[in-house]
Each structure stands twice: as C-alpha cells, then as structure tokens.
Amino acid sequence: MLASKSLQLGAQAIKGLSRVSHFSKFVAPATITPRKPCVQDGELYSTTATSSADGGNEEKEKISVTFVDKDGEETQIKVPIGMSMLEAAHQNDIELEGACEGSLACSTCHVIVMDVEHYNKLEEPTDEENDMLDLAFGLTETSRLGCQVIAKPELDGLRLALPAATRNFAVDGFKPKPH
Amino acid sequence: MGVFRAMIARTFSAATSRSLRVCVVGSGPAGFYTAEKMLKAHEEAEVDIIDRLPTPFGLVRSGVAPDHPETKIVINQFSRVAHNERCSFFGNVSLGSSVSLSELRQIYHVVVLAYGAESDRVLGIPGEDLSGVHSAREFVWWYNGHPDLSQLAPDLKNTDTAIVLGQGNVALDVARILLRPPAELATTDIASHALAALKESSIRKVYLVGRRGPVQAACTAKELREILAIKDLYVNIKQDDLQITSADEEEMKNSRIRRRVYDLLSKASSSSQTHPSSGQPELHFTFFRKPDKFLESSDKSGHVAGVKFEKTTLKGSGNQIAAGTGQYEDLKCGLVLKSIGYKSIPVDGLPFDHSKGVVPNIRGRVVSSSDVGQPVDGLYVCGWLKRGPTGIIATNLYDAEETVTSISEDIKKKDLTSEFASGREGLLQLLENRKIKVVTFNDWEKIDSEEKRLGSLMGKPREKLTNWKDLLAK
C-alpha cells in the first residue's frame, strides 16, 4: 500500500515538473520516466481504454477532472486516459448515478460540462446518446452523459457539474412526460 | 432458558429502540430509490420494503419490454439496496389484505406508499367490454409473465389487424412485440406462453392511433427509431398529417424531444415505399382520430371487429387539444390494445384524489382530504401514486429525493423514535399470526436462480415462473 502510494506521489512530482514548461499542453511521453505497469488503488485501467502507442511499459497518463455537486462542493480526481467519467466517479465515491451501468439505456449519469472549450473538444454525441439526453433532467447546452465522456489529454482540467435535482412534482400543471 | 430469552429480548429492544422503523409499500423504482435514500440519509433507519408480489422490482420486471434488457440493469443497484443489513424485502405481503394501512402506521414510525398504478384509464365508450379489447397494461403483463395475467390468452389468430390506441412508449412496445419476428423474441426473457402465442399469431398490420398529430405523439426518439428499424416493415405515415401549424412549431421549439420525434416521423414518411408488398408486415401511424365506439363482430358475437373514430382537429395553443369534427371513419381489426394511461388504486384509510388518480400530497407528505391540506403524520407517498403514471425510471430518483427530504425535515422537527414501534418484528409476528407466507429477498434469489437456470436450457436469459403456486413454492 505504502509502496504504491509513493509511486503515485513520484508520478505526480514528475508531472508537476513537466507541466511548468508546457503549460496546459499535453506532456510528451518522452519526458516521463517509464515505470513498470502496476495497478494501484482506485486506478484500475478501464476496459474501454484504447491501447497505448507506447506499448505496455508506461503507466497511463491521467487528467485532472473536477466534479461540482449540486451544493457547489468540488471534488478533484485523477482520471486515466481512456476511462469514462462515470467509471471514474464511481471509483472515487462521487455520487453520480448510473442505473444502466453505461449501456446508453438511461440518462442518470447526466453531467454538465462547465467550460465550453472542453465541451467542444468532445466527440459529437451519437443518436443513441442524444436519445437519452432528451430525457435528462435539467438538460443544458453543454450536457453530456458521463458514461460517454472518455478521458483524453485535451480534457485535462475538465470541470463537470452534477445537475441540481430541482423538479416540481406537483400534479397540477404537470407536463406529461414519456414512459 | 428464560433468563437467556429475556437477555435476547433486552438486547433486541435495546438495539431497536433508537432505530427509525420505516416501511416502504411497493418494490419498484419508487420504492427502492426511497429505501436507498432513507438508508443513506438516516444511519439509524431500518427499512422494510413490502410488495404484494413474491417478486420485487415492480415494472422493471413486469413492464419493461423483454427486448430491452439494458433498461433492467438497474435491478443490480436495487439488489444492493436489498442486501443492506438495515433493509429487508418482504414479498407476498399485500396492503389491504395481508396488513391494513392503520396497522402499518402503528408498527412503523414512517410509512411510504410507493405502490404505483395497477389499473387503467377507461375510455368510457360503447363496446369497451367486447372480447378482444384489452388494456396495454394487461397485454404487457401477459408477455412479461406477471402471475396475475398468465391466463389472459389474447386471441392473436382471428385477425391480421390490431389497433393500438395511444402513441406513447408503451403503445410502441406492444406494437413492436406484435410485429417483431418471434425468432428474435425467442432469446429474450419473454414469457413462454406469450412466445408460443406470438409464433402462431396472424397479426400482420398494426395501427398506432393518436387523437392528435405527430408533434403531440408521446413516444420518444429511441423507441421510435427502434420500431421503424424492424426488418422488412412497411411503415405508413400520411404526408398530409405531417403538416404543421405555428402552434406546432411553438411546441417543438420548447421541446427537444418533440422536435426529434417529429423529424423521425417525417423522415420515415418520405423514405417509405408507396405500398406494402403482399404479406409484408405493416405499421400505420394514424393521427387525428378519437375513438368513438368499438364495433361488434357480426360473425363472432361479443367480439370486437373494429373501431369507429371521429376525425379531430387541434385547438388552442401551448398544450393543444383535439376537438371532434363530426366526421367519422371505421377501421377494421380483431384486437384492440388501449394504451391511454395507467391508474392508481385507492386503499382503505388512504386519502385519494379520484379525478387525478393520485394520493393528495405536498412534496410527498400525504395530506388529509377531510382536514384539507393538513399533512397526515408519518405517511408519505412516492412514484406514480404521488405524481401520476408518467415519467421514466429515473424520474423516481428525483421524486424519492423530494419525499425523503420531506421525511428528514419532519424527523428533525419531531423525534419519532421516542415512540416505540415494533417494526420488522411486529410485522413478521402479525403476518405469522395470519399464516401469510412471506417471501424474503433470499427466497427471491432462489426464484431468480431457478429462472436463470431454466432460461439457460432454452437460450434465454431467464424463463420466468408465471404462476403464484410456483413462485410461492421457493
């Protein structure tokens, strides 16, 4: 446990050094000391991860993602490239529902991308994702499903807001919703 | 021995005297999301979920279509809730016949009613009682193996045409199940009796009939896309029906769902073939038709042979309504499925708003009908019983949050646990006295394993047990 923690800290320290010279741009792999691949607590590699061009000897790069809950509380986590935001949230005990567990059959992992620049860097939603977003509560112009937002280097610093559960459930004047 | 028992009794009551005893009636999404949030918000709470069926999960098991397995994945989350040591599931316990509402309110500090809507809206038009006219709910429960409807035996062989009244997602579900090649359904968890009937079905034409236009159709994009994609299906949508008014434009501007559904219907209309080839299955979207009466067959007395419709036109703006034009049109058929909405069933001792079909409440707190507007202590409501039969599974997430927030506020104001409530022990004792066989979650898991085992022998994810006797034998 301790050994893996110091490895983790080591990785952060090295990243910190590299970042100084490259601002927010992705740090080229060559500047990172190759490490033996390992699985650390809470950093399991997603099965949806695309294969690394560098081969298996490097630990996956991670990006920084901040979740902002409906009360404004912020939680910053590190997400390995290739992992979905839903999976990352669950591994870090962030309260993001995922009723259908990432099968594009619900809208409960709805997140709001807080920076338009990051939103624009995402792949366009598929018809299937749009069909589910239709049903999401508190839908905004920069809404996406958390299970479809996959960590990539350009998203470092991503800020995701969890939608507020502000719904009026009074039956009077209730607008019929599909089921 | 007596001392030992007394010690156990003392330990028991010491442990439970601090607990908030909660009973949730109904184990569908509303019930389970409520239980989950109560357990999370109150570390001292003990939650018992009761259901009149031996099987949990409500409409996730009996409503979601067999060819929509991803929608049922939420059962994993609900099962985790049931496994919480402070939570219990008790099936085969019916509110009203096994235990009364007033008894539950004595046994528990908090009672949350989440038993949904197990009845149907009626049209109230002549011929509604003719055989061959069913509610979509009955048809859905039948193909999903609900033990109450396993004997429905709808006649799918006397006709080639079925009319579905309504154009919501449930209407699309029943149309799709009628039109999909049975071989495709054979690998789902559809009830065997339904699969057998569908294999022999002669139904080739299905009409989905709405009172209003394509802009008002209540279905959503995913389901519409799915039905339009059925292999070799002839889809008929009249170009004339797709004309939109400025009021329609306004409706679509305010609703992304409506816009995308309309676009799908337009595309389907323009790209479809001009007429069906012989024997090709047909799906007709019929708009601006309001059912006036069901027509009786002249050959088969007491059986439906068609529906007389009145043509409608839209009036008003915002939520446009269908107004009759005095012109009529008949459509022939041998099966009618009414998909016009569910309705909740009132229970003795429970305030009920018969016009809206819900329990009167303020943010989940049940309010008295006699002492108007006054919340009834310790009694809450969640789900369709609270807000009417609309929404999706996820809607209950937010609904439960609201109800649990109300409960939490009320508990802060008045410490309910100072009054003793026997909770789980009290309920189980009462049920034992009445010789009611309680089905625990563990018992359900045995049913679950058996269904999966039987299913694996037939290439299905599960083979549902569809009668009460088999379900209670586990």
Side-chain angles (χ1 to χ4, degrees), chain B residues 263-297:
Chain B
D263 286 347
L264 278 168
L265 289 168
S266 308
K267 244 197 302 236
S269 176
S270 54
S271 65
S272 66
Q273 1 159 179
T274 41
H275 34 247
S277 36
S278 158
Q280 188 181 18
E282 302 171 23
L283 177 65
H284 300 256
F285 283 85
T286 303
F287 297 102
F288 305 108
R289 296 290 182 273
K290 180 173 122 173
D292 182 68
K293 58 148 65 106
F294 296 100
L295 306 167
E296 185 174 348
S297 165

Side-chain angles (χ1 to χ4, degrees), chain A residues 70 95 97 99-101 103 105 108 127 130-135 137 139 165 169 171-172 174 177-179, chain B residues 40 70 73-74 76-77 169-170 218 220-222 225 256-257 260 356 386 389-392 394 397-398 401:
Chain A
K70 59 180 158 78
E95 273 181 35
E97 292 278 337
C100 77
E101 297 177 5
S103 7
T108 60
D127 278 343
N130 270 324
D131 287 350
M132 291 304 109
L133 281 169
D134 278 355
L135 310 169
F137 289 84
L139 191 70
F169 287 104
V171 177
D172 286 334
F174 186 75
K177 283 262 190 294
H179 58 84
Chain B
K40 181 140 194 275
E70 316 81 20
I73 288 175
V74 71
N76 296 343
Q77 184 176 348
N169 286 339
V170 179
T220 53
K222 171 179 184 254
R225 228 186 276 282
R256 180 184 137 126
I257 298 182
R260 295 181 80 240
K356 292 186 186 130
K386 170 183 173 191
T390 58
I392 53 176
L397 199 52
Y398 302 96
E401 206 160 294

Side-chain angles (χ1 to χ4, degrees), chain B residues 176-339:
Chain B
R176 189 179 72 253
I177 296 297
L178 283 169
L179 289 170
R180 277 194 81 172
E184 288 178 16
L185 297 172
T187 51
T188 69
D189 65 5
I190 193 170
S192 280
H193 54 243
L195 185 62
L198 288 165
K199 280 185 176 151
E200 308 209 324
S201 163
S202 52
I203 293 173
R204 293 290 170 272
K205 285 188 239 196
V206 176
Y207 288 83
L208 280 164
V209 185
R211 289 176 299 181
R212 299 183 293 171
V215 175
Q216 291 76 35
C219 58
T220 53
K222 171 179 184 254
E223 287 71 16
L224 187 52
R225 228 186 276 282
E226 184 183 18
I227 204 171
L228 294 172
I230 290 179
K231 222 169 33 185
D232 200 34
L233 179 71
Y234 167 76
V235 178
N236 181 29
I237 298 168
K238 296 212 274 283
Q239 280 289 323
D240 283 348
D241 287 341
L242 289 164
Q243 304 278 1
I244 47 179
T245 62
S246 52
D248 287 330
E249 279 287 4
E250 195 60 36
E251 265 192 74
M252 285 196 284
K253 214 166 60 186
N254 295 329
S255 168
R256 180 184 137 126
I257 298 182
R258 297 292 118 243
R259 169 104 251 163
R260 295 181 80 240
V261 164
Y262 176 80
D263 286 347
L264 278 168
L265 289 168
S266 308
K267 244 197 302 236
S269 176
S270 54
S271 65
S272 66
Q273 1 159 179
T274 41
H275 34 247
S277 36
S278 158
Q280 188 181 18
E282 302 171 23
L283 177 65
H284 300 256
F285 283 85
T286 303
F287 297 102
F288 305 108
R289 296 290 182 273
K290 180 173 122 173
D292 182 68
K293 58 148 65 106
F294 296 100
L295 306 167
E296 185 174 348
S297 165
S298 44
D299 319 311
K300 203 174 165 192
S301 150
H303 196 89
V304 74
V307 184
K308 182 179 279 308
F309 290 100
E310 184 179 7
K311 296 186 186 180
T312 68
T313 185
L314 294 183
K315 292 253 183 287
S317 62
N319 188 20
Q320 302 178 73
I321 55 168
T325 60
Q327 286 185 291
Y328 295 83
E329 183 181 82
D330 291 352
L331 270 181
K332 285 213 261 285
C333 71
L335 176 74
V336 177
L337 296 175
K338 298 178 287 174
S339 187

Side-chain angles (χ1 to χ4, degrees), chain B residues 442-456:
Chain B
N442 214 300
D443 294 330
W444 148 248
E445 284 176 327
K446 293 194 196 119
I447 295 171
D448 188 30
S449 296
E450 180 62 3
E451 287 185 346
K452 284 177 176 150
R453 183 190 75 81
L454 291 168
S456 68

Side-chain angles (χ1 to χ4, degrees), chain A:
Chain A
M1 194 68 140
L2 265 173
S4 66
K5 271 283 176 231
S6 55
L7 267 174
Q8 195 182 336
L9 288 170
Q12 313 243 70
I14 289 169
K15 272 206 201 116
L17 284 172
S18 319
R19 200 162 283 134
V20 165
S21 49
H22 289 269
F23 304 109
S24 59
K25 284 232 185 273
F26 172 55
V27 177
T31 64
I32 305 293
T33 312
R35 279 175 292 283
K36 280 212 196 70
C38 65
V39 173
Q40 299 177 337
D41 286 346
E43 288 164 31
L44 295 165
Y45 301 137
S46 163
T47 51
T48 60
T50 48
S51 60
S52 169
D54 320 299
N57 271 352
E58 263 182 46
E59 197 176 272
K60 282 257 164 36
E61 272 299 295
K62 293 194 187 71
I63 60 167
S64 163
V65 176
T66 303
F67 281 90
V68 183
D69 77 11
K70 59 180 158 78
D71 301 316
E73 253 190 67
E74 300 196 3
T75 311
Q76 191 187 68
I77 61 170
K78 292 277 183 227
V79 184
I81 305 287
M83 183 180 281
S84 78
M85 293 303 128
L86 177 62
E87 197 176 337
H90 283 180
Q91 285 187 7
N92 288 274
D93 289 321
I94 288 165
E95 273 181 35
L96 185 60
E97 292 278 337
C100 77
E101 297 177 5
S103 7
L104 275 177
C106 77
S107 52
T108 60
C109 68
H110 168 216
V111 291
I112 298 162
V113 182
M114 294 171 74
D115 303 305
V116 176
E117 277 171 33
H118 281 139
Y119 178 78
N120 291 334
K121 292 199 171 117
L122 298 172
E123 302 276 318
E124 283 283 307
T126 57
D127 278 343
E128 289 70 30
E129 184 181 347
N130 270 324
D131 287 350
M132 291 304 109
L133 281 169
D134 278 355
L135 310 169
F137 289 84
L139 191 70
T140 69
E141 298 278 314
T142 57
S143 284
R144 292 298 300 265
L145 295 184
C147 65
Q148 302 301 303
V149 177
I150 311 297
K152 56 185 184 183
E154 304 95 292
L155 298 176
D156 190 30
L158 185 65
R159 291 170 61 78
L160 299 172
L162 303 181
T166 48
R167 300 284 307 160
N168 175 13
F169 287 104
V171 177
D172 286 334
F174 186 75
K175 262 163 73 159
K177 283 262 190 294
H179 58 84

Side-chain angles (χ1 to χ4, degrees), chain B residues 96-213:
Chain B
S97 57
S98 311
V99 58
S100 72
L101 181 59
S102 59
E103 283 167 337
L104 279 182
R105 293 183 63 211
Q106 284 171 348
I107 297 171
Y108 291 92
H109 295 117
V110 169
V111 175
V112 184
L113 302 166
Y115 65 74
E118 292 196 311
S119 180
D120 311 297
R121 284 182 67 199
V122 287
L123 287 163
I125 61 177
E128 205 158 359
D129 290 331
L130 288 170
S131 81
V133 177
H134 305 281
S135 75
R137 173 189 61 89
E138 292 172 316
F139 192 71
V140 170
W141 276 9
W142 169 74
Y143 64 60
N144 274 333
H146 192 294
D148 288 351
L149 267 302
S150 50
Q151 308 302 313
L152 183 69
D155 187 353
L156 308 179
K157 293 198 275 196
N158 76 83
T159 182
D160 68 352
T161 305
I163 288 177
V164 180
L165 299 174
Q167 295 171 330
N169 286 339
V170 179
L172 261 59
D173 272 356
V174 299
R176 189 179 72 253
I177 296 297
L178 283 169
L179 289 170
R180 277 194 81 172
E184 288 178 16
L185 297 172
T187 51
T188 69
D189 65 5
I190 193 170
S192 280
H193 54 243
L195 185 62
L198 288 165
K199 280 185 176 151
E200 308 209 324
S201 163
S202 52
I203 293 173
R204 293 290 170 272
K205 285 188 239 196
V206 176
Y207 288 83
L208 280 164
V209 185
R211 289 176 299 181
R212 299 183 293 171

